[in-house]
Every structure is written in C-alpha cells, then in structure tokens.
Amino acid sequence: MDPITHTLAGAAMARVGADRTTPLATATLMLAANAPDVDMVTVWTTTGYGSIAFRRGWTHGPLALLLLPLILTALVWLWDVAVRRRRAPDAPPLRLGWILALAYIGTLSHPMLDWLNTYGIRLLMPFSDRWFYGDAVFIIDPYWWLLLASVVVLARRKASLRAVRVAGIVALAYPLALVALARVGDRLAMQAAAEQGIEGAYEVLYQPRPARPFAAQLIAVTDSAYHFGRLQWLPRPSVHYDGAVIAVGDLTHPRVVQARDEDQDVRDFLVWSRYPYVEMHTTAADGSTTVVLGDARFPRGGFAGALGGLAVSVR
C-alpha cells in the first residue's frame, strides 16, 4: 500500500489503546508501519528498472522483519535519551519492552497490507523470490484513508475508547471484506470467461479499480493471450469481457533471450513482471530487432508510466 495508508494504520493502532502503554508508542508504531519501505532508497540509488526488481523483496522478508524492529527500538531509545529526556527530565520513562513489542507489531503490519494489492510482495526473500498477491485492494484507497483517519480523529476529540475501538474494527473489517469480495469475484470471472468463449483460461486476475471498491478490471489468462474485461458489483454482479486482447508473444524467442542477456533493465523488468508479454519489430534497413516488453497489469499508456514496459534494440 501507499505510505499514507501505512502511516494511518500505525496511528490507528496507537489510538485504539497502544498509546497508553509507553511514551513514544504512537511514533514507534507509525515509523514501524513504514520501516520495510526503506527499500525506497533504490529509487535514487539505482537506474532504469533496478528499483522495481529490488523493491518489496529483502526488506519485506523474514530477516528484515526480524531485524528492523530491533533497529527501530534502538533509534527510539537514542531519541529518548538524547532529546526527549533532556528537554523534559521529569517526563514519564520509556518502557523499552513495550517499544520493542510495538515496533514488531507495526513492522509486521506492513507486509500484511502490501499483500492486499496486485503489485505483489516477496514474503520469503532472501530464501525464495516467489511473489505473493492478494488482488483485493487498490494500492491507493481513499475510503480506507477515511476509515483509518476516523480512528485518529475520534481519539483526538476525546471520544470514548470504546467508540475509537469500534471505528478501529470497522477500519479493519473494510479490507477483510474486500478480500472476501475479490475471492468471490475470482470465481464469477472464471465462470464468465468460459461462458463468453475464452478457451483455455486457467487464471483470472481480479484487479480493483482506483477509488471504486465495487468494480474491478479482469484479465483472463491463457497460454497465448490476456483477455480483458470488467466486473461490476452494483446494482448486481455483472461480468463482461470486452474483446480487448494482448498476445503473450514468444518469450523464449532467441531475440528476447538475447535482449535479456544483454540488458540489465530487461532482466529487472522480468523479475517484477507477473503477466509479461512481448512484441518484436524488425528493421529491414539494418536487421535490428526492437523487443518490446510489457506487463498486462499495466498496459502501455494512461497512468502506467515506467510500469508500462520498455523497448530495447538487439542485433
């Protein structure tokens, strides 16, 4: 999920009662909820597609989830000693055991939230580079922002702890309900693919739409193509494949293999790509071939940006 969601999740966890355990509890949870995204540094330290090949990997895997809370606890303790206690010597003492526990809770919330969308997360890195996908919540969900923010606002306005916790339960129930909706949507989409003449579909991607939790883009996957459709839940469930198709192409073609061997960006893009496809265009004048790679989750154009793919020339 986006940093706003992670930050609000940390703040909401604090406001349902965790902030009563120790000074700096809220700050610890908010920082911990964002800690695995330390890999964002690769946006500035790598070139090309290096960042998408590295992100949601090592810093989201079991070793990092074990070590990051320890590092954060040490940093919070240093802040307490060097800044907070010097400014206010009579302030309540830090309870280090609680800080460590909250650092783990906040950090572990991060991969749970990241799993929810179609971008994916490698939960087992560095032991396995397998990607996991929840396919239930769009990566930016303003309705979830509002639900999480309501917990924080109620707490700041001195609402009863019970009211704050009810708001917290609603904020937690929202993504769980979307997960359940997505799983039902998977079954409806597979059934509709067969009924609407898409032969050989062995998987369907349920891809939630931006700011529209009751609508989804669908991609029915066959060995040779990606077939696009949509699902509307309201006023009643409706699935329609609109005839738009992207051919997978020959990802084992010698020119594609050559492009992968010669170009780091191609290798990085394929590390991240879930539904890759390839197009090839040969230039008669010099015999070069332009290899165009994409991922069906983010077709070229629109808001896809760099995720829409890349083109490399090989001879």
Side-chain angles (χ1 to χ4, degrees):
M1 300 301 294
D2 65 288
I4 294 176
T5 303
H6 288 300
T7 303
L8 285 172
M13 286 187 286
R15 296 310 187 191
V16 296
D19 56 354
R20 301 185 179 194
T21 59
T22 175
L24 299 181
T26 300
T28 299
L29 278 166
M30 292 172 68
L31 290 169
N34 285 283
D37 273 348
V38 67
D39 61 1
M40 275 290 293
V41 70
T42 59
V43 172
W44 299 282
T45 59
T46 62
T47 58
Y49 288 84
S51 180
I52 66 169
F54 184 80
R55 291 218 57 221
R56 293 200 177 187
W58 280 73
T59 64
H60 292 62
L63 294 182
L65 298 179
L66 177 66
L67 294 174
L68 284 172
L70 297 173
I71 295 170
L72 179 59
T73 298
L75 292 174
V76 172
W77 176 78
L78 286 172
W79 172 267
D80 184 63
V81 171
V83 179
R84 175 177 168 267
R85 299 307 298 275
R86 287 189 178 183
R87 290 177 177 175
D90 297 329
L94 192 71
R95 301 178 68 182
L96 204 57
W98 272 111
I99 291 294
L100 181 61
L102 296 175
Y104 272 106
I105 291 170
T107 302
L108 290 172
S109 76
H110 189 104
M112 293 172 64
L113 269 58
D114 276 357
W115 171 82
L116 289 168
N117 53 64
T118 63
Y119 191 98
I121 179 173
R122 287 169 285 181
L123 289 169
L124 302 178
M125 282 287 283
F127 306 108
S128 169
D129 60 359
R130 176 187 173 188
W131 290 86
F132 295 83
Y133 309 91
D135 300 339
V137 183
F138 191 71
I139 196 167
I140 297 174
D141 190 320
Y143 302 112
W144 202 7
W145 289 354
L146 292 174
L147 291 173
L148 291 168
S150 70
V151 179
V152 180
V153 171
L154 283 171
R156 288 183 63 87
R157 292 189 174 182
K158 308 298 183 182
S160 69
L161 183 58
R162 180 178 180 181
V164 173
R165 286 176 173 171
V166 168
I169 291 171
V170 173
L172 175 62
Y174 175 74
L176 295 178
L178 293 185
V179 169
L181 201 65
R183 298 295 80 83
V184 175
D186 289 340
R187 293 195 293 272
L188 292 177
M190 280 294 292
Q191 180 181 348
E195 292 173 349
Q196 296 180 31
I198 300 176
E199 297 182 0
Y202 60 86
E203 179 181 343
V204 171
L205 171 65
Y206 178 99
Q207 192 165 20
R209 305 309 300 147
R212 297 175 62 192
F214 297 109
Q217 181 187 50
L218 304 174
I219 304 176
V221 183
T222 70
D223 289 334
S224 60
Y226 303 110
H227 301 257
F228 291 82
R230 62 184 183 274
L231 186 155
Q232 301 281 349
W233 287 105
L234 300 175
R236 64 181 184 277
S238 170
V239 180
H240 176 68
Y241 289 94
D242 54 22
V245 177
I246 293 179
V248 174
D250 185 1
L251 291 162
T252 64
H253 190 280
R255 290 295 198 185
V256 179
V257 174
Q258 181 184 355
R260 185 188 62 213
D261 291 343
E262 295 179 356
D263 196 299
Q264 183 64 46
D265 277 346
V266 173
R267 294 194 293 275
D268 288 339
F269 186 82
L270 290 175
V271 165
W272 163 85
S273 185
R274 181 179 181 183
Y275 296 122
Y277 63 89
V278 63
E279 301 169 1
M280 289 182 288
H281 309 282
T282 300
T283 302
D286 60 5
S288 65
T289 299
T290 299
V291 176
V292 182
L293 285 164
D295 187 298
R297 292 174 297 173
F298 305 97
R300 290 188 296 278
F303 297 100
L307 300 182
L310 73 162
V312 297
S313 180
V314 295
R315 295 177 183 276

